[in-house]
Amino acid sequence: MRDHSSTILKIKPSIALIITLNDKNVIMGTGSGFIFWKKNILVTCNHVVKGVNSIFLKFPGVETPISAKVLLKDEEHDLALLKFEDDSRSPLELAPKDTVKEGMPVLFAGYPINIQDLTTHQGIISSIAKDPTGKVIYLIDGTVNSGNSGCPLMDEDGKVIGVVNAKGAVRPDIIEKVQGMSS
């Protein structure tokens, strides 16, 4: 079994716990997100931030949550880009698209089931399939829980190959969509 400690150390500063509040400042839910594409831009699933009043991000090692706003959202692909003020963190790198294969080992790191500490899981790509709309999805043999939505699916070197969606399958087209979005 490969030691992933150096990869986790590298990716950890770029993955945030997302805390959402309603208009009465009561916590509505939590999810995961990661810096990708540009500094100050966090990728997550739209369902994590849909219909909320306030969004806060909590990065590992930082006690004070950072306020965030929805910059762009795509309900069809269940994707949202959040803008926040902290340019001390670097975006995660993108893996070459042609490297994703069935049976390859993968990592995903997020904040499942209301855990406030980053949790990294490992698994494999058990299948590359298409959803009913014809979009390519990666099926993961690994433990994905509520709260993992929006976390990065990565190769063993910590390079992003998709966005985990605990409500559905991992869709690699979401990464392409992020790159095509402009503010």
Side-chain angles (χ1 to χ4, degrees):
M1 180 179 289
R2 182 174 169 181
D3 177 358
H4 298 292
S5 58
S6 62
T7 301
I8 293 169
L9 189 63
K10 178 177 78 172
I11 63 169
K12 195 173 189 175
S14 300
I15 303 172
L17 169 66
I18 300 172
I19 303 164
T20 58
L21 307 174
N22 65 15
D23 58 356
K24 295 181 174 120
N25 287 328
V26 174
I27 294 178
M28 289 184 64
T30 61
S32 302
F34 62 99
I35 301 171
F36 182 75
W37 185 45
K38 292 182 176 183
K39 289 184 175 186
N40 300 335
I41 301 294
L42 194 91
V43 176
T44 190
C45 291
N46 186 60
H47 75 262
V48 172
V49 295
K50 186 175 182 176
V52 304
N53 190 55
S54 302
I55 303 167
F56 291 94
L57 309 177
K58 189 163 181 326
F59 287 95
V62 177
E63 289 304 314
T64 306
I66 300 167
S67 178
K69 299 284 184 204
V70 174
L71 180 64
L72 294 168
K73 63 182 178 177
D74 181 341
E75 292 194 30
E76 177 187 354
H77 295 94
D78 195 15
L79 177 68
L81 298 182
L82 307 181
K83 175 95 170 128
F84 64 98
E85 297 304 321
D86 176 1
D87 62 358
S88 67
R89 299 167 189 290
S90 297
L92 296 179
E93 293 179 49
L94 179 66
K97 190 175 184 177
D98 60 351
T99 61
V100 180
K101 298 179 179 17
E102 286 180 336
M104 74 178 273
V106 292
L107 301 173
F108 48 102
Y111 299 86
I113 51 177
N114 294 321
I115 294 174
Q116 302 236 347
D117 294 311
L118 184 69
T119 303
T120 303
H121 299 271
Q122 61 183 341
I124 65 166
I125 299 288
S126 61
S127 179
I128 299 173
K130 291 191 177 185
D131 72 7
T133 67
K135 300 287 183 184
V136 173
I137 57 173
Y138 300 146
L139 300 173
I140 305 168
D141 182 5
T143 305
V144 175
N145 294 296
S146 173
N148 277 126
S149 286
C151 79
L153 179 67
M154 301 166 286
D155 65 16
E156 287 189 300
D157 295 323
K159 293 183 180 172
V160 177
I161 61 174
V163 179
V164 173
N165 187 329
K167 289 191 169 197
V170 177
R171 293 181 40 186
D173 63 307
I174 289 179
I175 293 299
E176 293 171 8
K177 193 76 172 160
V178 169
Q179 291 177 312
M181 293 173 118
S182 64
S183 56

